[in-house]
Amino acid sequence: FPENVSSLFPTLAPSKPQHNTRQPSLDFTMCNPPFYNSQEEMLSSAETKSHVPFSACTGAAVEMIAPGGEVEFVSRMIDESLHLRDRVQWYTSMLGKLSSVTTLVELLIKHNNHNYAVTELVQGSKTKRWAIAWSWGDRRPAMVRCLPPSRLD
């Protein structure tokens, strides 16, 4: 890679990604979006936890909060992926709220995308996250790769 990697992958415009056929294609993207819509939502979520966290949150507000939270952030990714289509083989994002999964799958289906996968990520016995992946191509992951480890036995 060149010293200035950003020259390979220029920043996308907020409303419509650039489409330059000389840009390289990517196998996948991976996103850990801001989960919360506001600081109030973030604090409220922390207050509803039934247990004391084992570690301190080290994320800055700009990493954890965005207008519309994770649903709006990943919805924008889906909209941008409509323009980029097969320039990226798989788009992926982690989600912090189970309710976001349904909303985002419905958005993919609305855009006539039925090539998606959803899985649950479990860290220890208390923390759960979810991952969503979608592709505009015809390649699909093997089902064994989409199942949580507890379902593989």
Side-chain angles (χ1 to χ4, degrees):
F1 280 104
E3 203 169 291
N4 183 0
V5 175
S6 64
S7 67
L8 285 177
F9 306 105
T11 304
L12 301 178
S15 60
K16 186 175 180 185
Q18 300 171 5
H19 187 71
N20 180 341
T21 56
R22 293 181 305 182
Q23 291 178 342
S25 62
L26 301 173
D27 291 330
F28 71 96
T29 64
M30 184 183 305
C31 179
N32 181 3
F35 293 152
Y36 304 104
N37 182 44
S38 65
Q39 183 153 352
E40 294 76 25
E41 180 186 6
M42 183 175 68
L43 295 173
S44 172
S45 175
E47 289 173 359
T48 63
K49 303 285 184 204
S50 60
H51 60 277
V52 178
F54 291 107
S55 61
C57 178
T58 58
V62 296
E63 298 172 301
M64 299 175 60
I65 301 167
E70 67 186 7
V71 168
E72 182 61 32
F73 195 95
V74 178
S75 293
R76 190 169 122 201
M77 283 181 63
I78 292 170
D79 289 343
E80 289 179 355
S81 78
L82 285 164
H83 297 284
L84 295 172
R85 288 283 175 169
D86 56 356
R87 296 292 308 284
V88 177
Q89 189 171 350
W90 280 94
Y91 300 85
T92 69
S93 184
M94 184 168 72
L95 301 169
K97 302 173 192 166
L98 180 57
S99 61
S100 301
V101 172
T102 303
T103 303
L104 294 167
V105 166
E106 288 173 352
L107 179 60
L108 287 167
I109 292 169
K110 176 183 169 192
H111 289 303
N112 202 28
N113 184 316
H114 299 278
N115 193 12
Y116 62 87
V118 175
T119 192
E120 182 179 72
L121 309 171
V122 180
Q123 298 91 27
S125 62
K126 301 196 181 343
T127 302
K128 288 185 181 181
R129 299 285 185 257
W130 295 266
I132 186 169
W134 67 97
S135 175
W136 298 104
D138 57 0
R139 296 182 72 187
R140 295 190 53 83
M143 284 307 294
V144 70
R145 305 241 188 265
C146 297
L147 295 174
S150 63
R151 302 258 319 265
L152 293 176
D153 300 331

